[in-house]
Amino acid sequence: MDPRVHPDFQKLSHLSLPMHTTSLMATNQFLRSYRKAVHPLPGTVMTLRRAVSRDGTLIPLRLFSPEKQEQSGACLIYFHGGAFVLTAAPYHYKLANLYAQQANCTVVMVDYRLAPQHPFPQGLEDCFSALEWVHHNAALLGIDHRRIAVGGDSAGGNLAAVTALLARDEGTLPLCGQMLIYPVTDVRMETPSMQEFPDSPVWNSRLTAKMWQMYLPHPVRRPWQVSPIEAPALEDLPDTYLETAEVDCLRDEGIAYGQSLLRAGNAVTLHQTKGTIHAFDMELHSTIVQSCIAERVAWLRDRFTLSENQE
């Protein structure tokens, strides 16, 4: 175990995301069976909805909202991590509840399609279609269209970043923020941290290579749609909260993306956590995790308040 890892996360050292077809199927089957038991925490309510992707596929959505939701409330559309191949884990739902409670917003969890059965761009199209659905149904959902943010962790952070780029280019889907947690931003795998961590716990560069093989079985015409740091223009993007983990092969590409956004004139809060590993926030009892959640929530609340006051 790397000596930099805080004791709170050393117990996770045995974890590694499954990246073989048979183990993926079994893991997703287990996670989907768990999902049937997902329930809102006290103070939140949960509703199930479905959006329609551009090819007609129905996209399951799970909405967590405060029990006393304001009439025109804020919304965080969230894309879970899992290397583009795994569905949401139990801690993702717990975090969604906490964001809904503490940031006083509706959190829309998007059950996008997964590789390798559904490689790029199908999952991304589901995510963008979910954003379109929320915008088009904002009044029905009690959501203020000025106060919609996207967020995601790891591969979900990639989907959130690319969705924000697509929304900017669309011009009719304004976002007030993007919350990117240890995001995947660079398909090239050339950063120092990618070389430094070939076998770090939970996630590492060897697994990253397998992830890209599953998500991208064929060359893509627009690399930035899988590698947002390669976007030809990064101007005019929503305010960004970007959080990285210290002992994580994705650390440096996350920092580089935040710095690129800053150079392009965007507002960026870059939080480089210490003593942490990839997916460290599954350890919800850690004071480090609780501090990070508080920072994410404070940033969300600020973005929602600022957007509400804008004409």
Side-chain angles (χ1 to χ4, degrees):
M1 172 63 71
D2 191 299
R4 289 171 290 182
V5 176
H6 190 276
D8 285 359
F9 312 117
Q10 291 179 6
K11 65 185 75 172
L12 304 177
S13 61
H14 67 287
L15 295 181
S16 179
L17 265 68
M19 294 297 288
H20 298 285
T21 304
T22 52
S23 56
L24 279 176
M25 291 177 60
T27 303
N28 277 324
Q29 185 176 9
F30 168 78
L31 291 173
R32 290 187 176 109
S33 65
Y34 171 86
R35 189 165 59 203
K36 297 176 183 177
V38 170
H39 59 276
L41 296 176
T44 61
V45 294
M46 182 180 72
T47 55
L48 303 179
R49 303 278 188 172
R50 291 191 296 182
V52 181
S53 196
R54 292 189 169 184
D55 64 1
T57 300
L58 292 176
I59 312 161
L61 308 174
R62 194 176 295 261
L63 282 64
F64 297 92
S65 304
E67 283 184 347
K68 297 179 180 180
Q69 173 75 307
E70 50 193 290
Q71 190 170 9
S72 294
C75 177
L76 171 65
I77 304 172
Y78 198 83
F79 312 124
H80 64 81
F84 304 109
V85 297
L86 287 169
T87 193
Y91 77 95
H92 287 121
Y93 296 111
K94 293 177 182 176
L95 286 170
N97 271 277
L98 293 174
Y99 297 150
Q101 284 180 343
Q102 297 178 22
N104 194 30
C105 67
T106 294
V107 178
V108 179
M109 292 277 291
V110 182
D111 189 14
Y112 56 87
R113 285 173 288 179
L114 303 171
Q117 293 86 352
H118 302 283
F120 172 84
Q122 294 177 62
L124 174 61
E125 290 177 347
D126 292 352
C127 293
F128 189 73
S129 296
L131 171 61
E132 291 181 309
W133 181 86
V134 170
H135 263 286
H136 295 159
N137 293 278
L140 177 66
L141 297 169
I143 289 170
D144 182 347
H145 66 87
R146 300 170 301 174
R147 298 201 288 157
I148 298 174
V150 292
D153 60 286
S154 194
N158 175 284
L159 294 167
V162 178
T163 295
L165 286 163
L166 293 171
R168 177 201 61 187
D169 295 345
E170 184 82 7
T172 58
L173 301 170
L175 293 171
C176 69
Q178 57 175 343
M179 186 174 76
L180 311 179
I181 310 301
Y182 39 81
V184 174
T185 66
D186 193 342
V187 73
R188 295 168 294 187
M189 296 184 61
E190 296 173 351
T191 63
S193 63
M194 193 61 69
Q195 310 308 313
E196 183 181 359
F197 298 118
D199 55 2
S200 49
V202 181
W203 193 249
N204 52 57
S205 56
R206 290 184 298 102
L207 296 176
T208 302
K210 293 180 181 179
M211 174 191 77
W212 286 125
Q213 290 170 6
M214 292 185 182
Y215 187 53
L216 298 175
H218 308 292
V220 297
R221 291 177 53 201
R222 297 181 178 86
W224 63 268
Q225 291 192 1
V226 298
S227 188
I229 200 168
E230 297 185 74
L234 290 173
E235 292 81 10
D236 302 317
L237 286 165
D239 291 0
T240 301
Y241 176 91
L242 199 155
E243 186 177 289
T244 61
E246 183 177 14
V247 183
D248 182 4
C249 64
L250 300 176
R251 180 194 66 208
D252 291 346
E253 65 190 68
I255 295 169
Y257 190 57
Q259 293 171 339
S260 296
L261 291 173
L262 275 171
R263 286 193 296 270
N266 303 288
V268 178
T269 299
L270 180 57
H271 183 195
Q272 300 179 51
T273 66
K274 300 298 183 182
T276 50
I277 61 175
H278 192 79
F280 70 95
D281 47 353
M282 71 174 72
E283 193 61 42
L284 292 171
H285 296 295
S286 166
T287 56
I288 294 175
V289 173
Q290 292 168 8
S291 175
C292 287
I293 292 172
E295 292 207 29
R296 299 171 193 175
V297 166
W299 180 86
L300 284 169
R301 293 183 73 98
D302 285 347
R303 299 290 76 67
F304 293 148
T305 300
L306 288 170
S307 299
E308 183 181 26
N309 293 333
Q310 291 176 351
E311 293 297 331

